[in-house]
Amino acid sequence: MGKEVNGVSRSRFEMFSNSDEAVINKKLPKELLLRIFSFLDVVTLCRCAQVSRSWNVLALDGSNWQRIDLFDFQRDIEGRVVENISKRCGGFLRKLSLRGCLGVGDSALRTFAQNCRNIELLSLNGCTKITDSTCNSLSKFCPKLKHLDLASCTSITNLSLKALSEGCPQLEQLNISWCDQVTKDGIQALVRCCPGLKGLFLKGCTQLEDEALKHIGAHCPELVTLNLQTCSQITDEGLITICRGCHRLQSLCVSGCANITDAILNALGQNCPRLRILEVARCSQLTDVGFTTLARNCHELEKMDLEECVQITDGTLIQLSIHCPRLQVLSLSHCELITDDGIRHLGSGPCAHDRLEVIELDNCPLITDASLEHLKTCHSLDRIELYDCQQITRAGIKRLRTHLPNIKVHAYFAPVTPPPSVGGSRQRFCRCCILL
């Protein structure tokens, strides 16, 4: 809508945006406006920069660009955008996420490193063009770097880890998941010069062996989080070294490491009492004996993924229900020996009423509607997975809902065989899967 000013119709936006003498600019000092702009996200800052010349200067001031995440803004950016950002922000920039920016390469990141020498957190997750050259630049110009995410940067090699160890001694968290060229030599160089490492994400680093874990155990006493998912060559020997050297460990993922045995659970129980998250999916050699030791010593456990730990029975659930009062998330999918009795103990344990939020029971063929009755007093339960639990019925789920009306229940019911036809016509939609 237009507005008459001295006989001329002008929109409110035009009156505000085309005049650097707008009321807000007169009333508020630039320092206060700058402070207001500091709370805005990238998109809003860019919009404000188009309002007027004075707002352009304020919005693009480097102090407003200390934390930038382009993932939800624009992922098809080119290297020159990163170069421009680095020149604008300079030493102000502390955190930058370029996650998924496939067009960004080594040249742009060298310019970035030269200009943003105070960077502390940098995510290059999925920036597949970068190579060891980028890590050399970071090593040379960014000594304050603490968190670096290089996941899926598959050209990264041991040379990157050696460079980071030389130039980034304050490094606390490193993600090199799926960088499958990395070997024990790179890990050794890294941990010897970065003793403050608290988080290492090595998922899919398939060349890593026990020797690499021994270096971590010997040099990373501050380690809190370790992810070794699908590092299929590691065995008990290397992981026991981790447990003995990293007593502060809170989160361990060894899913897909099929060689490990109960010896690991015993070592965790004896050395890592602060453990909160354990993911051991597809570790089929683990048994009730190991989980008993673990439960009796690691009372702070909150999340456990035991999918396809096919040897465990109700005995494990009994021990967890007694000794782990903080348990929130438990996956038992494909644990085919679990019965209603185990769920009964879990449902009556100290974690059940106020803590337990998620339980996954996919492909547990002995589970019946009785288990749902045992869980109806779990007032915090948010989600339950029941795919291919053939003794679960719709009626049982309905009864559970009367006690937990907001629960998300994911279940599968096979169609009637043969499926009924209407007037001889073929059904247009598959009715096999029902989301309840």
Side-chain angles (χ1 to χ4, degrees), residues 10 14 17 74 78 130 168-169 266-267 329:
R10 300 169 62 191
E14 288 175 331
S17 64
Q74 184 178 350
E78 299 177 355
I130 72 167
C168 304
N266 294 332
V329 179

Side-chain angles (χ1 to χ4, degrees), residues 54-335:
S54 60
W55 277 34
N56 182 274
V57 172
L58 292 171
L60 300 184
D61 188 274
S63 64
N64 291 323
W65 296 73
Q66 298 182 43
R67 296 170 296 276
I68 303 174
D69 187 345
L70 296 179
F71 185 75
D72 293 324
F73 175 48
Q74 184 178 350
R75 272 170 274 176
D76 57 347
I77 65 171
E78 299 177 355
R80 59 184 178 82
V81 175
V82 176
E83 294 178 4
N84 291 338
I85 288 175
S86 71
K87 292 172 183 176
R88 177 184 305 140
C89 301
F92 287 108
L93 190 60
R94 297 292 188 276
K95 299 178 182 180
L96 173 65
S97 175
L98 298 174
R99 181 165 55 113
C101 295
L102 302 178
V104 177
D106 293 328
S107 177
L109 286 165
R110 178 176 177 82
T111 301
F112 162 81
Q114 290 173 327
N115 287 306
C116 302
R117 303 189 181 208
N118 292 320
I119 191 73
E120 296 176 3
L121 186 153
L122 177 62
S123 176
L124 302 174
N125 189 318
C127 296
T128 52
K129 283 188 176 181
I130 72 167
T131 70
D132 293 329
S133 176
T134 285
C135 289
N136 286 328
S137 299
L138 295 173
S139 172
K140 187 174 181 180
F141 300 111
C142 303
K144 297 182 180 181
L145 191 62
K146 293 182 179 179
H147 290 203
L148 178 61
D149 188 347
L150 298 169
S152 300
C153 298
T154 53
S155 296
I156 294 299
T157 73
N158 290 337
L159 295 177
S160 285
L161 302 193
K162 291 176 181 177
L164 293 170
S165 70
E166 294 168 0
C168 304
Q170 298 184 42
L171 203 61
E172 295 180 1
Q173 184 167 298
L174 178 66
N175 188 345
I176 52 171
S177 296
W178 310 113
C179 297
D180 55 6
Q181 298 188 59
V182 171
T183 70
K184 61 180 175 56
D185 295 332
I187 297 297
Q188 180 181 16
L190 176 75
V191 299
R192 283 189 171 181
C193 297
C194 299
L197 277 169
K198 296 180 180 179
L200 267 176
F201 299 84
L202 308 174
K203 179 179 180 180
C205 294
T206 52
Q207 293 199 57
L208 295 185
E209 302 171 333
D210 288 335
E211 199 64 31
L213 304 193
K214 291 178 182 179
H215 293 308
I216 295 172
H219 297 285
C220 298
E222 304 295 320
L223 196 66
V224 173
T225 302
L226 179 62
N227 190 319
L228 296 165
Q229 183 174 338
T230 67
C231 295
S232 55
Q233 297 191 60
I234 66 173
T235 71
D236 292 344
E237 184 180 359
L239 281 169
I240 289 173
T241 306
I242 294 286
C243 297
R244 290 174 176 171
C246 307
H247 298 292
R248 300 187 180 186
L249 196 65
Q250 294 183 19
S251 176
L252 175 64
C253 177
V254 286
S255 294
C257 300
N259 295 321
I260 68 174
T261 72
D262 283 343
I264 297 308
L265 302 181
N266 294 332
L268 285 168
Q270 293 166 9
N271 297 281
C272 304
R274 301 182 186 180
L275 193 67
R276 293 172 45 245
I277 299 173
L278 178 63
E279 299 178 29
V280 288
R282 303 183 302 285
C283 297
S284 58
Q285 298 189 59
L286 303 181
T287 74
D288 291 339
V289 175
F291 284 111
T292 295
T293 301
L294 181 78
R296 289 178 176 177
N297 292 277
C298 298
H299 306 302
E300 297 184 19
L301 280 166
E302 297 177 1
K303 177 183 177 182
M304 298 184 71
D305 185 352
L306 312 185
E307 182 175 347
E308 291 188 40
C309 292
V310 294
Q311 295 194 53
I312 67 171
T313 72
D314 293 338
T316 289
L317 298 192
I318 292 171
Q319 295 300 320
L320 293 176
S321 68
I322 295 171
H323 300 291
C324 300
R326 300 186 179 184
L327 199 60
Q328 297 176 15
V329 179
L330 179 62
S331 176
L332 299 167
S333 298
H334 294 272
C335 296

Side-chain angles (χ1 to χ4, degrees), residues 8-27:
V8 180
S9 178
R10 300 169 62 191
S11 71
R12 293 173 62 189
F13 177 79
E14 288 175 331
M15 290 175 62
F16 181 72
S17 64
N18 292 334
S19 173
D20 283 345
E21 299 303 318
V23 174
I24 191 172
N25 294 332
K26 293 179 179 180
K27 295 290 186 181

